[in-house]
Amino acid sequence: MLNRRHIRIKVMQSMYAFKGTESDDLLKEQRFLLQSLDNMYDLYLSLLALLTELHKKSKDHNEKLQKKLVKSAADENPNLKFQDNQLLHLISSNVILQEAISNKKLNYWDLDFEYVDLLFKEILNSEIYEKYTEDPDTSFKKDKTFVLDVFSEIIAPNDKLYDYFEDKKLTWVDDIPVVNTAILKILRKLKLTSPETDLLPELYKDEDDKEFAIELFKKSFLNNSKFTEEINKKTTNWDSERLASLDGVLLKMAICEFQKFPSIPHKVTMNEYLEIAKEYSTPKSSLFINGILDKIVKEYQSENLHPKVGRGLM
């Protein structure tokens, strides 16, 4: 689920939030970072719990229509496609998934049902729903397309839901796009015969990625003063406040990768931190960071310092 850019963003946030020194409790800060990364999985489960509740809501809605004293023709024969959606049924009936949601107490929607109601009404009033219910095709493929469209066009971009998750956990703000993308990717791959575990992916692609997160934070943290000194030598004409901001954190992390991660090419490191700067820092940050990092790389290469290993490395 996690990609390396998001790992870098999480490390950046931990480094930026930390106001102590290298002598302070490294393990405590490391635990905070890993907890922040683990919280991504909670967000993932919460969103699948939301899909489960929307599926339940469709059943409840149809039952209420049947209990109305005065029924319209549509009430007498409600469309059951949403209720009978095979992909939603796979999610709702997945025992391992539902146990994981329950064990972590991540089904917030019983108490915060107004968000389920809001989204359900939006779905019923959408063109997506109208086309889906009018289509006589009841295949799994059609059911999947409906769920994917609802998620990408109604659930994911919903501002009230975004604000709700932000209030739940501040760290989720940056996780939402990554988790939404992961959910769409996982749902696209699902088949009627898919094992239950397909809905419970690993947080990290492999152990190397988890180790990368720990080592990047640890080495950036422990060499903070050293990296600051190196940056200062290259930035005599720059405002010191810029170096105390997010730009300084990104520069230190990039230098850490230059020096401590020989298998990561200079070009990859530079591109990653320039993209992060464009998204999280000031409009001029990427230009500033690019200039400093380019100067550092040229110096390392001319003096054969911190050489990279492997094929195709810059």
PDB file of all heavy atoms in Angstrom, residues 248-266:
ATOM      1  N   GLY A 248      14.672  23.125   4.950  1.00  0.00           N
ATOM      2  CA  GLY A 248      15.858  22.611   5.637  1.00  0.00           C
ATOM      3  C   GLY A 248      15.741  21.127   5.936  1.00  0.00           C
ATOM      4  O   GLY A 248      16.697  20.369   5.785  1.00  0.00           O
ATOM      5  N   VAL A 249      14.538  20.705   6.345  1.00  0.00           N
ATOM      6  CA  VAL A 249      14.298  19.283   6.633  1.00  0.00           C
ATOM      7  C   VAL A 249      14.469  18.452   5.361  1.00  0.00           C
ATOM      8  O   VAL A 249      15.125  17.402   5.365  1.00  0.00           O
ATOM      9  CB  VAL A 249      12.880  19.070   7.214  1.00  0.00           C
ATOM     10  CG1 VAL A 249      12.566  17.574   7.343  1.00  0.00           C
ATOM     11  CG2 VAL A 249      12.758  19.752   8.572  1.00  0.00           C
ATOM     12  N   LEU A 250      13.908  18.924   4.264  1.00  0.00           N
ATOM     13  CA  LEU A 250      14.008  18.188   2.999  1.00  0.00           C
ATOM     14  C   LEU A 250      15.457  18.099   2.520  1.00  0.00           C
ATOM     15  O   LEU A 250      15.890  17.054   2.013  1.00  0.00           O
ATOM     16  CB  LEU A 250      13.142  18.861   1.933  1.00  0.00           C
ATOM     17  CG  LEU A 250      11.631  18.804   2.174  1.00  0.00           C
ATOM     18  CD1 LEU A 250      10.888  19.640   1.142  1.00  0.00           C
ATOM     19  CD2 LEU A 250      11.123  17.372   2.146  1.00  0.00           C
ATOM     20  N   LEU A 251      16.216  19.174   2.689  1.00  0.00           N
ATOM     21  CA  LEU A 251      17.631  19.151   2.308  1.00  0.00           C
ATOM     22  C   LEU A 251      18.408  18.137   3.143  1.00  0.00           C
ATOM     23  O   LEU A 251      19.232  17.382   2.606  1.00  0.00           O
ATOM     24  CB  LEU A 251      18.237  20.549   2.473  1.00  0.00           C
ATOM     25  CG  LEU A 251      17.915  21.563   1.368  1.00  0.00           C
ATOM     26  CD1 LEU A 251      18.367  22.961   1.782  1.00  0.00           C
ATOM     27  CD2 LEU A 251      18.572  21.167   0.047  1.00  0.00           C
ATOM     28  N   LYS A 252      18.165  18.099   4.439  1.00  0.00           N
ATOM     29  CA  LYS A 252      18.868  17.153   5.313  1.00  0.00           C
ATOM     30  C   LYS A 252      18.546  15.712   4.940  1.00  0.00           C
ATOM     31  O   LYS A 252      19.433  14.855   4.906  1.00  0.00           O
ATOM     32  CB  LYS A 252      18.503  17.418   6.778  1.00  0.00           C
ATOM     33  CG  LYS A 252      19.058  18.712   7.341  1.00  0.00           C
ATOM     34  CD  LYS A 252      18.410  19.034   8.686  1.00  0.00           C
ATOM     35  CE  LYS A 252      18.713  20.463   9.111  1.00  0.00           C
ATOM     36  NZ  LYS A 252      17.949  20.864  10.311  1.00  0.00           N
ATOM     37  N   MET A 253      17.281  15.460   4.647  1.00  0.00           N
ATOM     38  CA  MET A 253      16.895  14.100   4.270  1.00  0.00           C
ATOM     39  C   MET A 253      17.526  13.700   2.940  1.00  0.00           C
ATOM     40  O   MET A 253      17.961  12.554   2.762  1.00  0.00           O
ATOM     41  CB  MET A 253      15.376  13.992   4.202  1.00  0.00           C
ATOM     42  CG  MET A 253      14.680  14.070   5.559  1.00  0.00           C
ATOM     43  SD  MET A 253      12.871  14.164   5.420  1.00  0.00           S
ATOM     44  CE  MET A 253      12.501  12.621   4.568  1.00  0.00           C
ATOM     45  N   ALA A 254      17.582  14.643   1.993  1.00  0.00           N
ATOM     46  CA  ALA A 254      18.202  14.351   0.698  1.00  0.00           C
ATOM     47  C   ALA A 254      19.690  14.070   0.862  1.00  0.00           C
ATOM     48  O   ALA A 254      20.222  13.117   0.270  1.00  0.00           O
ATOM     49  CB  ALA A 254      17.980  15.519  -0.269  1.00  0.00           C
ATOM     50  N   ILE A 255      20.364  14.876   1.668  1.00  0.00           N
ATOM     51  CA  ILE A 255      21.797  14.647   1.921  1.00  0.00           C
ATOM     52  C   ILE A 255      22.000  13.305   2.609  1.00  0.00           C
ATOM     53  O   ILE A 255      22.950  12.578   2.311  1.00  0.00           O
ATOM     54  CB  ILE A 255      22.386  15.791   2.775  1.00  0.00           C
ATOM     55  CG1 ILE A 255      22.373  17.097   1.973  1.00  0.00           C
ATOM     56  CG2 ILE A 255      23.810  15.474   3.217  1.00  0.00           C
ATOM     57  CD1 ILE A 255      22.728  18.326   2.778  1.00  0.00           C
ATOM     58  N   CYS A 256      21.090  12.961   3.505  1.00  0.00           N
ATOM     59  CA  CYS A 256      21.164  11.655   4.167  1.00  0.00           C
ATOM     60  C   CYS A 256      21.111  10.534   3.131  1.00  0.00           C
ATOM     61  O   CYS A 256      21.890   9.580   3.201  1.00  0.00           O
ATOM     62  CB  CYS A 256      20.003  11.517   5.159  1.00  0.00           C
ATOM     63  SG  CYS A 256      20.018   9.968   6.086  1.00  0.00           S
ATOM     64  N   GLU A 257      20.222  10.644   2.159  1.00  0.00           N
ATOM     65  CA  GLU A 257      20.138   9.620   1.110  1.00  0.00           C
ATOM     66  C   GLU A 257      21.399   9.616   0.250  1.00  0.00           C
ATOM     67  O   GLU A 257      21.883   8.554  -0.156  1.00  0.00           O
ATOM     68  CB  GLU A 257      18.896   9.835   0.245  1.00  0.00           C
ATOM     69  CG  GLU A 257      17.600   9.481   0.954  1.00  0.00           C
ATOM     70  CD  GLU A 257      16.408   9.422   0.014  1.00  0.00           C
ATOM     71  OE1 GLU A 257      16.582   9.114  -1.187  1.00  0.00           O
ATOM     72  OE2 GLU A 257      15.275   9.672   0.480  1.00  0.00           O
ATOM     73  N   PHE A 258      21.940  10.815  -0.035  1.00  0.00           N
ATOM     74  CA  PHE A 258      23.185  10.887  -0.804  1.00  0.00           C
ATOM     75  C   PHE A 258      24.297  10.113  -0.099  1.00  0.00           C
ATOM     76  O   PHE A 258      25.055   9.366  -0.731  1.00  0.00           O
ATOM     77  CB  PHE A 258      23.640  12.346  -0.961  1.00  0.00           C
ATOM     78  CG  PHE A 258      22.810  13.174  -1.901  1.00  0.00           C
ATOM     79  CD1 PHE A 258      22.928  14.566  -1.891  1.00  0.00           C
ATOM     80  CD2 PHE A 258      21.931  12.596  -2.806  1.00  0.00           C
ATOM     81  CE1 PHE A 258      22.179  15.352  -2.755  1.00  0.00           C
ATOM     82  CE2 PHE A 258      21.175  13.375  -3.674  1.00  0.00           C
ATOM     83  CZ  PHE A 258      21.303  14.756  -3.641  1.00  0.00           C
ATOM     84  N   GLN A 259      24.404  10.307   1.206  1.00  0.00           N
ATOM     85  CA  GLN A 259      25.546   9.783   1.963  1.00  0.00           C
ATOM     86  C   GLN A 259      25.334   8.377   2.503  1.00  0.00           C
ATOM     87  O   GLN A 259      26.280   7.582   2.545  1.00  0.00           O
ATOM     88  CB  GLN A 259      25.859  10.721   3.135  1.00  0.00           C
ATOM     89  CG  GLN A 259      26.347  12.100   2.731  1.00  0.00           C
ATOM     90  CD  GLN A 259      26.809  12.914   3.928  1.00  0.00           C
ATOM     91  OE1 GLN A 259      26.910  12.412   5.046  1.00  0.00           O
ATOM     92  NE2 GLN A 259      27.091  14.201   3.703  1.00  0.00           N
ATOM     93  N   LYS A 260      24.114   8.071   2.940  1.00  0.00           N
ATOM     94  CA  LYS A 260      23.879   6.844   3.718  1.00  0.00           C
ATOM     95  C   LYS A 260      23.134   5.749   2.965  1.00  0.00           C
ATOM     96  O   LYS A 260      22.979   4.643   3.488  1.00  0.00           O
ATOM     97  CB  LYS A 260      23.095   7.188   4.996  1.00  0.00           C
ATOM     98  CG  LYS A 260      23.643   8.353   5.818  1.00  0.00           C
ATOM     99  CD  LYS A 260      25.018   8.050   6.394  1.00  0.00           C
ATOM    100  CE  LYS A 260      25.511   9.228   7.262  1.00  0.00           C
ATOM    101  NZ  LYS A 260      26.868   8.966   7.799  1.00  0.00           N
ATOM    102  N   PHE A 261      22.671   6.042   1.756  1.00  0.00           N
ATOM    103  CA  PHE A 261      21.915   5.045   0.986  1.00  0.00           C
ATOM    104  C   PHE A 261      22.556   4.897  -0.391  1.00  0.00           C
ATOM    105  O   PHE A 261      22.059   5.460  -1.386  1.00  0.00           O
ATOM    106  CB  PHE A 261      20.439   5.458   0.871  1.00  0.00           C
ATOM    107  CG  PHE A 261      19.698   5.460   2.175  1.00  0.00           C
ATOM    108  CD1 PHE A 261      19.775   6.566   3.027  1.00  0.00           C
ATOM    109  CD2 PHE A 261      18.940   4.371   2.565  1.00  0.00           C
ATOM    110  CE1 PHE A 261      19.098   6.577   4.234  1.00  0.00           C
ATOM    111  CE2 PHE A 261      18.253   4.372   3.773  1.00  0.00           C
ATOM    112  CZ  PHE A 261      18.338   5.475   4.618  1.00  0.00           C
ATOM    113  N   PRO A 262      23.650   4.178  -0.477  1.00  0.00           N
ATOM    114  CA  PRO A 262      24.425   4.097  -1.725  1.00  0.00           C
ATOM    115  C   PRO A 262      23.689   3.483  -2.907  1.00  0.00           C
ATOM    116  O   PRO A 262      24.069   3.705  -4.050  1.00  0.00           O
ATOM    117  CB  PRO A 262      25.637   3.240  -1.329  1.00  0.00           C
ATOM    118  CG  PRO A 262      25.221   2.505  -0.101  1.00  0.00           C
ATOM    119  CD  PRO A 262      24.277   3.408   0.618  1.00  0.00           C
ATOM    120  N   SER A 263      22.620   2.738  -2.659  1.00  0.00           N
ATOM    121  CA  SER A 263      21.915   2.098  -3.776  1.00  0.00           C
ATOM    122  C   SER A 263      20.851   3.004  -4.397  1.00  0.00           C
ATOM    123  O   SER A 263      20.266   2.656  -5.440  1.00  0.00           O
ATOM    124  CB  SER A 263      21.266   0.792  -3.308  1.00  0.00           C
ATOM    125  OG  SER A 263      20.262   1.051  -2.349  1.00  0.00           O
ATOM    126  N   ILE A 264      20.561   4.157  -3.780  1.00  0.00           N
ATOM    127  CA  ILE A 264      19.559   5.072  -4.336  1.00  0.00           C
ATOM    128  C   ILE A 264      20.270   6.125  -5.185  1.00  0.00           C
ATOM    129  O   ILE A 264      21.089   6.891  -4.667  1.00  0.00           O
ATOM    130  CB  ILE A 264      18.746   5.763  -3.218  1.00  0.00           C
ATOM    131  CG1 ILE A 264      18.026   4.718  -2.353  1.00  0.00           C
ATOM    132  CG2 ILE A 264      17.731   6.739  -3.824  1.00  0.00           C
ATOM    133  CD1 ILE A 264      17.256   5.303  -1.188  1.00  0.00           C
ATOM    134  N   PRO A 265      19.979   6.203  -6.477  1.00  0.00           N
ATOM    135  CA  PRO A 265      20.654   7.173  -7.348  1.00  0.00           C
ATOM    136  C   PRO A 265      20.406   8.617  -6.926  1.00  0.00           C
ATOM    137  O   PRO A 265      19.338   8.947  -6.396  1.00  0.00           O
ATOM    138  CB  PRO A 265      20.028   6.908  -8.727  1.00  0.00           C
ATOM    139  CG  PRO A 265      19.423   5.552  -8.630  1.00  0.00           C
ATOM    140  CD  PRO A 265      19.008   5.372  -7.220  1.00  0.00           C
ATOM    141  N   HIS A 266      21.397   9.468  -7.154  1.00  0.00           N
ATOM    142  CA  HIS A 266      21.241  10.892  -6.853  1.00  0.00           C
ATOM    143  C   HIS A 266      19.976  11.448  -7.529  1.00  0.00           C
ATOM    144  O   HIS A 266      19.233  12.229  -6.931  1.00  0.00           O
ATOM    145  CB  HIS A 266      22.455  11.691  -7.360  1.00  0.00           C
ATOM    146  CG  HIS A 266      23.714  11.418  -6.598  1.00  0.00           C
ATOM    147  ND1 HIS A 266      24.902  11.083  -7.217  1.00  0.00           N
ATOM    148  CD2 HIS A 266      23.988  11.446  -5.264  1.00  0.00           C
ATOM    149  CE1 HIS A 266      25.843  10.917  -6.304  1.00  0.00           C
ATOM    150  NE2 HIS A 266      25.313  11.128  -5.120  1.00  0.00           N
TER     151      HIS A 266
END
